[in-house]
């Protein structure tokens, strides 16, 4: 059964002439980890906004085609109803804090208060989310006193407590230091292992290659390719599309090391494997 | 991050009183002296508020508030007693300026009324947690969107003050002159405030999106994570306050 | 007709709601900088004016009201009463912007003067109740004392006291708000426009 069904999705922001999304059709299965890549301005953030209903409900503009998530039509639904199905996390951890709560637990409770979840249930979900993201020690801290990586995990947790089935992450680590980045990736990996559907925009293609089941390459609001990482990163014209393949793939391409069907390795493990095969054959 | 809220986080019998009861207190203690028009009653209300603030351990935070009004009150006294036409009874003279008795009496009634209002409001603000105020009102029907706005200002202002410090240091190190004659200082205003303002406005887009992702626009009756504060003596206290109001109205009418 | 209805639309979108705390903070920062630079103006309504310009009179009014509630809760509990004048500033800004008063510098100056008139008309009775007619600003109060001493009636002196302080203040504030508005990308400010609707592409 398909979870997310997108049909000829088109979208134009107000006051603009060009289509930011130009006829996207694809499906995403339950529990998949999808990576989205593409140059600046390719339409990645716009697609994220469309999957979470911000396009068109927040941005307005002109909309065509449809997105069905678990049977509900995004265009016909209210943002608050979509929020129960799809959670979204942005780049800047700072602007994602509500700014109206002075402890992490209260910050997490915000979305549930809006959805009228009873207090006992709130407490249970908050405990679960804090544990899953390894931020139990921060529960009484003021959200604005946290480091970027901690704050971003609070942002993820505050989405998680609303129990969405899909989490969309738009460059969640682009404003974090290396340590914060590592913390956040670990957290995302854990969510994926729990069976959550994850859709992540990310420039660090090594991470995409490591985590994603499939990768979507966007350019000028259109899908160029939507394939498993090994296949996608083996494409020859990626640099022209503004994408740098993982460092392993670039090395392997340089040495012309590939598997039987001609795909280049994309992760450390697969590179080591292929190199070993080459050694053994000599 | 220091909060800009004036709330004094302590435990006292005044802190225990719920927000609505304090609000009723505030109204009665402002309205009653005005209705009766009796300066003595105004003085009395003002003293009661002062005693309550002291017993809540919040006197220290009251000082800056009071200091802020001191200058204004002083100028009220001077102008009302020396520069208003139609007074005759000169009380004393400093240089060319005569101070009139009637003016001084009038000024003192203004000062008392002012202090009465100031302290009654201060009592609420100093001893009630902002979130408790807002949530009490939300439970009584205040839109949660407005509630959000009020609470978020408390956090946003200190953040912006922080950014403001960073930016003004940066601009100064780039050679922006912030001292000198008034034109030089006025010219510095836009480069100083501009970046802070633009930054915060650009941030509103993502914050608004993040709020939508957390069902901010849901049209259901909310639940609350914070427990509602309960005050054991709320009924008798409110009744007494109401009685005070009725008595003062009766006093006026008789 | 529908244009006028849009002007007074009460249902605000989330972007507008989030703009209010930012507007209040801008007011606050303006005031802090004005004090730090020892300028003889308050400059504490730039945010309210900006909110009126981008979001219309309702958003302007709300920003003004919340601004003074917050001042009441943080600076001086008595200043909450002046919320009514702040509402006036926000409403006037929204209406004037709607009628195209923010396109050229001279228009922005007239804009500032009208806003000052509105806020003075509202402040005078409040000053009267509070301070017997004064504003608490040295220059304005000096004028008040002077006029009073020359037999001008209290209400009129009080009004002059107010407008002397308010007109330069609101003109400068309006210019700053206008400059910010011009710098920001239209794709951002349109989010505060509550009359936008989604259309259908095929
Ligand atoms: N709010 C907006 N208003 C108008 N155009 C926009 C807006 N946001 C993005 N765009 C335009 O839409 C296109 C896609 O942008 P975006 O989805 O942000 O790209 P990406 O996230 O891949 O960098 C770009 O051409 C961009 O300029
Ligand atoms: Mg983007």
């Amino acid at each position: 059964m398909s979870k997310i069904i997108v049909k000829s999705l088109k979208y134009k922001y107000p006051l603009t002439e060009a289509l930011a999304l130009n006829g996207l059709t694809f499906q995403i299965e339950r529990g998949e980890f999808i990576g989205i890549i593409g140059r600046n301005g390719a339409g990645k953030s716009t697609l994220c906004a469309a999957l979470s209903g911000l396009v068109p409900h927040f941005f307005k503009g002109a909309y065509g085609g449809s997105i069905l998530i678990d049977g509900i039509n995004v265009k016909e639904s209210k943002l608050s109803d979509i929020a129960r199905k799809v959670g979204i996390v942005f780049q800047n951890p700072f602007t994602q804090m509500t700014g109206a709560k002075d402890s992490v637990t209260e910050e997490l409770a915000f979305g549930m208060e809006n959805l009228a979840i009873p207090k006992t249930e709130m407490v249970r979900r908050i405990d679960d989310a804090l544990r899953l993201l390894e931020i139990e020690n921060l529960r009484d801290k003021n959200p604005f006193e946290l480091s970027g990586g901690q704050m971003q995990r609070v942002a993820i947790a505050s989405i998680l407590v609303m129990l969405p089935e899909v989490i969309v992450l738009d460059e969640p680590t682009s404003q974090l230091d290396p340590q914060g980045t590592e913390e956040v990736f670990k957290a995302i990996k854990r969510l994926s292992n729990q069976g959550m559907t994850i859709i992540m925009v990310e420039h660090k293609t090594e991470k995409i290659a490591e985590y994603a089941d499939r990768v979507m390459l966007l350019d000028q609001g259109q899908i160029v390719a939507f394939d498993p990482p090994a296949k996608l990163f083996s494409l020859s014209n990626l640099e022209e599309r503004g994408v740098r393949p993982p460092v392993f793939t670039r090395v392997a391409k340089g040495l012309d090391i590939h598997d039987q069907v001609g795909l280049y390795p994309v992760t450390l493990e697969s590179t080591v494997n292929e190199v070993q095969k080459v050694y053994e054959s000599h | 991050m220091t909060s800009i809220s004036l709330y004094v986080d302590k435990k006292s019998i005044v802190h225990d009183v719920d927000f609505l009861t304090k609000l009723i207190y505030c109204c009665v203690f402002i309205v009653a002296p005005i209705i009766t028009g009796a300066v003595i009653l105004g003085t009395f209300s003002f003293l009661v508020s002062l005693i309550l603030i002291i017993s809540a351990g919040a006197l220290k935070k009251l000082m800056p508030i009071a200091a802020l009004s001191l200058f204004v009150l002083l100028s009220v006294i001077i102008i009302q007693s020396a520069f208003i036409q139609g007074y005759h009874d000169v009380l004393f003279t400093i240089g060319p300026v005569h101070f009139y008795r009637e003016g001084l009496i009038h000024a003192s009634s203004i000062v008392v009324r002012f202090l009465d209002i100031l302290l009654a409001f201060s009592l609420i603000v100093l001893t009630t947690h902002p979130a408790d105020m807002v949530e009490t009102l939300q439970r009584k029907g205040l839109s949660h969107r407005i509630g959000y706005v009020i609470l978020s200002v408390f956090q946003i202002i200190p953040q912006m003050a922080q950014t403001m410090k960073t930016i003004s240091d940066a601009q100064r190190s780039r050679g922006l002159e912030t001292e000198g004659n008034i034109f030089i200082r006025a010219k510095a205003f836009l480069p100083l405030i501009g970046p802070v303002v633009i930054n915060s406005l650009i941030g509103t887009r993502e914050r608004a999106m993040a709020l939508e992702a957390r069902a901010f626009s849901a049209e259901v009756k909310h639940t609350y994570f914070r427990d509602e504060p309960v005050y054991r003596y709320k009924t008798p206290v409110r009744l007494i306050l109401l009685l005070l109001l009725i008595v003062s109205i009766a006093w006026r009418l008789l | 007709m529908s244009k006028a209805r849009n002007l007074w639309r009460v249902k605000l979108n989330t972007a507008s709601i989030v703009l209010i705390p930012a507007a209040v903070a801008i007011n606050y920062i303006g005031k802090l900088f004005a004090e730090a630079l020892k300028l003889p103006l308050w400059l504490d309504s730039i945010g309210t004016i900006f909110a009126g310009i981008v979001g219309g009179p309702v958003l302007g009014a709300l920003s003004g009201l919340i601004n003074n509630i917050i001042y009441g809760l943080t600076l001086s509990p008595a200043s909450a009463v002046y919320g009514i004048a702040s509402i006036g500033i926000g409403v006037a800004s929204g209406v004037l912007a709607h009628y195209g008063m923010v396109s050229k510098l001279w228009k922005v100056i007239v804009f500032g003067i009208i806003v000052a008139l509105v806020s003075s008309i509202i402040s005078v009775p409040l000053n009267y109740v509070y301070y017997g007619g004064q504003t608490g600003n040295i220059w304005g109060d000096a004028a008040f004392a002077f006029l009073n001493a020359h037999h001008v009636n209290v209400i009129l002196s009080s009004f002059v006291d107010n407008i002397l302080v308010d007109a330069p203040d609101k003109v400068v504030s309006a210019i700053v708000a206008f400059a910010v508005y011009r710098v920001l990308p239209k794709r951002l400010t349109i989010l505060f426009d509550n009359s936008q609707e989604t259309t259908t592409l095929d």
Side-chain angles (χ1 to χ4, degrees):
Chain A
M1 189 188 97
S2 225
K3 184 78 188 167
I4 302 176
I5 306 172
V6 179
K7 279 202 193 115
S8 11
L9 178 67
K10 284 185 183 169
Y11 178 71
K12 204 159 61 108
Y13 283 101
L15 309 171
T16 60
E17 290 308 317
L19 287 167
L21 298 177
N22 189 358
L24 306 188
T25 300
F26 62 90
Q27 301 197 357
I28 294 174
E29 305 301 319
R30 194 184 297 264
E32 267 195 295
F33 194 130
I34 304 292
I36 302 181
I37 57 174
R39 74 170 94 243
N40 248 339
K44 307 180 296 296
S45 297
T46 311
L47 179 56
C48 290
L51 290 168
S52 57
L54 293 166
V55 157
H57 299 295
F58 179 79
F59 287 100
K60 310 299 179 191
Y63 190 93
S66 66
I67 299 182
L68 290 181
I69 295 175
D70 211 14
I72 72 161
N73 186 329
V74 166
K75 190 184 177 209
E76 314 301 334
S77 309
K78 289 207 210 90
L79 270 173
S80 53
D81 292 331
I82 302 168
R84 295 168 194 266
K85 300 249 172 223
V86 184
I88 183 163
V89 176
F90 304 96
Q91 292 184 13
N92 185 342
F94 210 76
T95 52
Q96 290 177 84
M97 300 296 109
T98 58
K101 302 288 185 182
D102 42 33
S103 74
V104 167
T105 42
E106 288 182 20
E107 178 72 32
L108 295 199
F110 183 83
M112 293 187 282
E113 291 179 320
N114 292 337
L115 291 175
I117 310 289
K119 162 104 189 227
T120 46
E121 173 70 9
M122 286 193 214
V123 173
R124 205 179 57 71
R125 291 191 196 176
I126 290 173
D127 287 343
D128 288 349
L130 291 175
R131 202 168 323 116
L132 187 62
L133 297 181
E134 297 184 327
I135 45 176
E136 284 157 299
N137 54 327
L138 307 178
R139 52 187 315 142
D140 297 321
K141 285 249 164 77
N142 184 316
F144 289 112
E145 282 165 355
L146 307 178
S147 73
Q150 293 172 331
M151 218 189 263
Q152 191 65 306
R153 280 182 291 160
V154 170
I156 297 174
S158 64
I159 289 301
L160 205 58
V161 292
M162 299 171 72
L163 306 183
E165 290 152 36
V166 181
I167 290 198
V168 178
L169 303 121
D170 189 357
E171 303 190 29
T173 64
S174 68
Q175 302 198 358
L176 305 182
D177 58 16
Q179 192 199 338
T181 303
E182 243 357 271
E183 290 168 0
V184 168
F185 276 128
K186 259 173 65 195
I188 296 170
K189 182 72 198 160
R190 234 170 290 135
L191 298 186
S192 175
N193 290 343
Q194 299 241 316
M196 188 151 284
T197 309
I198 308 266
I199 300 171
M200 178 168 77
V201 176
E202 181 57 59
H203 285 297
K204 301 178 185 90
T205 43
E206 288 78 15
K207 292 294 176 190
I208 295 275
E210 186 182 339
Y211 294 153
D213 298 313
R214 284 193 294 157
V215 186
M216 179 185 290
L217 170 60
L218 285 179
D219 202 7
Q220 301 191 338
Q222 291 178 316
I223 298 178
V224 177
F226 189 16
D227 292 304
K231 182 155 180 224
L232 193 129
F233 289 122
S234 293
L235 292 175
S236 57
N237 57 349
L238 288 177
E239 309 264 350
E240 290 157 41
R241 306 274 186 190
V243 172
R244 281 189 103 180
V247 60
F248 313 111
T249 317
R250 275 182 278 146
V251 171
K253 277 183 180 174
L255 298 172
D256 199 32
I257 296 175
H258 52 75
D259 65 7
Q260 301 93 317
V261 289
L263 296 184
Y264 294 99
V266 294
T267 59
L268 180 60
E269 262 179 18
S270 58
T271 312
V272 170
N273 267 338
E274 291 303 324
V275 170
Q276 230 151 28
K277 276 189 219 158
V278 173
Y279 258 115
E280 281 159 14
S281 68
H282 276 287
Chain B
M1 189 81 46
T2 51
S3 174
I4 55 159
S5 155
L6 293 173
Y7 174 61
V8 178
D9 193 3
K10 285 191 180 158
K11 287 208 176 336
S12 77
I13 47 167
V14 185
H15 283 78
D16 288 342
V17 181
D18 65 292
F19 174 55
L20 275 186
T21 306
K22 281 183 210 161
L23 209 57
I24 297 173
Y25 165 91
C26 180
C27 292
V28 170
F29 273 63
I30 290 174
V31 170
I34 294 180
I35 293 181
T36 56
V39 174
I40 178 78
L41 203 59
T43 316
F44 170 75
S45 315
F46 150 70
L47 285 175
V48 172
S49 297
L50 185 62
I51 290 167
L52 289 175
I53 290 174
I54 294 172
S55 71
L59 188 63
K60 231 169 83 188
K61 267 248 172 107
L62 177 68
M63 285 309 171
I65 308 175
L68 208 69
S69 338
L70 207 66
F71 173 76
V72 179
L73 291 181
L74 214 66
S75 81
V76 165
I77 293 173
I78 294 171
I79 290 185
Q80 294 293 336
S81 54
F83 294 95
I84 299 283
Q85 293 302 302
Y87 295 147
H88 308 286
D89 193 353
V90 178
L91 200 62
F92 58 94
T93 304
I94 302 176
V97 185
H98 303 297
F99 286 80
Y100 298 92
R101 201 177 58 84
E102 299 100 310
L104 221 51
I105 289 173
H106 184 54
S108 67
S109 76
I110 293 175
V111 170
V112 165
R113 184 163 59 208
F114 181 90
L115 288 177
D116 182 31
I117 298 175
L118 183 78
L119 264 78
F121 271 117
S122 301
L123 179 68
I124 298 184
V125 171
L126 291 168
T127 65
T128 320
H129 192 289
D132 286 334
M133 285 190 222
V134 169
E135 287 188 1
T136 303
L137 295 177
Q138 284 177 334
R139 287 186 162 96
K140 296 280 170 210
L142 175 77
S143 135
H144 77 277
R145 295 163 83 83
I146 300 300
Y148 165 79
V149 167
I150 295 175
L151 288 179
S152 69
V153 176
F154 284 102
Q155 301 240 12
I156 280 179
I157 289 184
Q159 278 165 34
M160 274 178 78
Q162 190 110 32
T163 324
M164 164 180 148
K165 212 182 145 305
T166 322
I167 289 183
S168 53
D169 288 348
Q171 296 281 46
R172 249 186 245 123
S173 72
R174 267 193 247 152
L176 183 77
E177 288 188 65
T178 56
E179 269 147 56
N181 72 37
I182 179 150
F183 291 104
I184 293 177
R185 285 180 280 131
K187 259 206 336 237
F189 185 75
L190 201 55
L192 282 177
I193 194 174
V196 195
V197 167
I198 306 267
N199 256 338
S200 74
L201 290 173
I202 287 176
T204 56
R205 191 184 70 114
E206 205 168 279
R207 173 151 295 142
M209 293 201 285
L211 289 183
E212 294 286 23
R214 289 158 79 180
F216 187 60
S217 304
E219 282 154 4
V220 289
K221 195 167 173 345
H222 283 209
T223 49
Y224 299 89
F225 183 70
R226 290 175 70 91
D227 293 317
E228 185 171 10
V230 277
Y231 178 47
R232 278 177 62 198
Y233 308 110
K234 104 181 165 194
T235 320
V237 171
R238 288 180 189 182
L239 280 176
I240 292 170
L241 287 169
L242 220 63
L243 205 68
L244 279 176
L245 187 67
I246 294 169
V247 168
S248 66
I249 294 173
W251 180 352
R252 178 69 201 233
L253 294 178
L254 299 179
Chain C
M1 179 59 207
S2 89
K3 210 177 163 195
R5 201 177 320 127
N6 277 340
L7 182 62
W8 296 104
R9 181 186 292 257
V10 184
K11 180 109 184 63
L12 297 175
N13 63 27
T14 300
S16 305
I17 294 289
V18 177
L19 180 62
I20 300 172
V24 172
I26 291 168
N27 287 345
Y28 200 95
I29 300 294
K31 184 177 152 76
L32 287 186
F33 270 125
E35 278 165 10
L37 293 169
K38 301 191 200 69
L39 301 180
L41 303 169
W42 291 313
L43 302 181
D44 60 354
S45 52
I46 297 170
T48 305
I49 294 176
F50 179 83
I53 292 176
V54 295
V58 176
L59 189 61
L62 212 50
S63 301
L65 175 66
I66 304 265
N67 182 70
N68 282 59
I69 292 177
I70 297 294
Y71 275 23
L73 297 181
T74 58
L75 284 179
S76 145
S79 72
V81 180
Y82 284 89
I84 308 168
S86 290
I87 293 175
I89 294 171
V91 170
S93 305
V95 173
L96 289 166
H98 183 76
Y99 290 105
M101 291 300 289
V102 282
S103 51
K104 296 201 182 69
L105 184 62
W106 72 265
K107 283 191 178 173
V108 177
I109 292 172
V110 175
F111 175 115
I113 292 173
I114 298 178
V115 169
L117 282 172
V118 171
S119 98
S120 291
I121 290 170
I122 302 174
S123 302
V124 166
L126 295 176
N127 286 338
Y128 193 72
V129 172
Y130 251 40
Y131 307 122
Q134 297 164 230
T135 54
N137 177 293
I138 272 199
W139 305 109
D141 283 351
F144 178 80
F146 177 84
L147 291 170
N148 252 309
H150 290 78
H151 307 274
V152 178
N153 111 352
V154 181
I155 299 291
L156 188 63
S157 333
S158 178
F159 184 75
V160 171
D161 175 344
N162 242 286
I163 197 80
L164 268 181
V165 184
D166 247 15
D169 181 60
K170 296 299 177 291
V171 168
V172 173
S173 302
I175 292 174
V176 174
F178 173 65
V180 170
Y181 174 64
R182 288 284 293 266
V183 170
L184 286 177
K186 196 82 179 86
R187 66 159 75 166
L188 175 65
T189 51
I190 197 167
L191 294 175
F192 308 121
D193 176 354
N194 286 281
S195 62
Q196 289 287 315
E197 298 291 348
T198 305
T199 57
T200 304
L201 278 175
D202 37 37

